[in-house]
Amino acid sequence: MDVPDNVRLIEAAPNSLAFAWAEVAGAEQYGTRLETSSGSLVGSVTYTKVPQQKYNGLKPSSQYRFMVRAISSETQSDYSEPLSASTESESSDED
């Protein structure tokens, strides 16, 4: 099974990040993981049937890494290359 590609950040806020990727033919769901910049898993691996995932409850001004893999009833792909993304700062008053 192909590894999901075109993985991208679609939304960044102080406490959340949202990602999207291209659909993979034959995929029944996707397993997503978000890690801190040091490699620690945030929460647990999350499963979704649509090619996007949003994470809430994150720390402002923090760096994360996102990965996704395609899953079918018979097989699963490797995880995508990690995509680095940062949450925004809490203060948007930047003059």
Side-chain angles (χ1 to χ4, degrees):
M1 178 159 283
D2 292 337
V3 174
D5 63 4
N6 195 23
V7 180
R8 60 204 181 277
L9 178 69
I10 58 172
E11 179 186 323
N15 300 108
S16 66
L17 293 170
F19 301 90
W21 55 91
E23 288 189 56
V24 174
E28 296 168 6
Q29 64 179 348
Y30 301 93
T32 65
R33 61 183 289 140
L34 189 69
E35 299 178 348
T36 62
S37 57
S38 63
S40 298
L41 183 63
V42 176
S44 60
V45 174
T46 305
Y47 298 93
T48 179
K49 293 186 181 219
V50 296
Q52 64 182 48
Q53 181 66 49
K54 184 172 183 176
Y55 292 91
N56 295 303
L58 304 178
K59 294 180 181 176
S61 302
S62 296
Q63 184 84 15
Y64 294 92
R65 294 187 305 214
F66 174 78
M67 292 164 279
V68 58
R69 69 176 168 193
I71 302 169
S72 74
S73 58
E74 300 188 7
T75 189
Q76 61 188 20
S77 73
D78 291 332
Y79 276 105
S80 61
E81 288 295 315
L83 174 69
S84 294
S86 297
T87 51
E88 296 180 346
S89 63
E90 288 230 64
S91 172
S92 59
D93 297 337
E94 296 179 18
D95 293 328

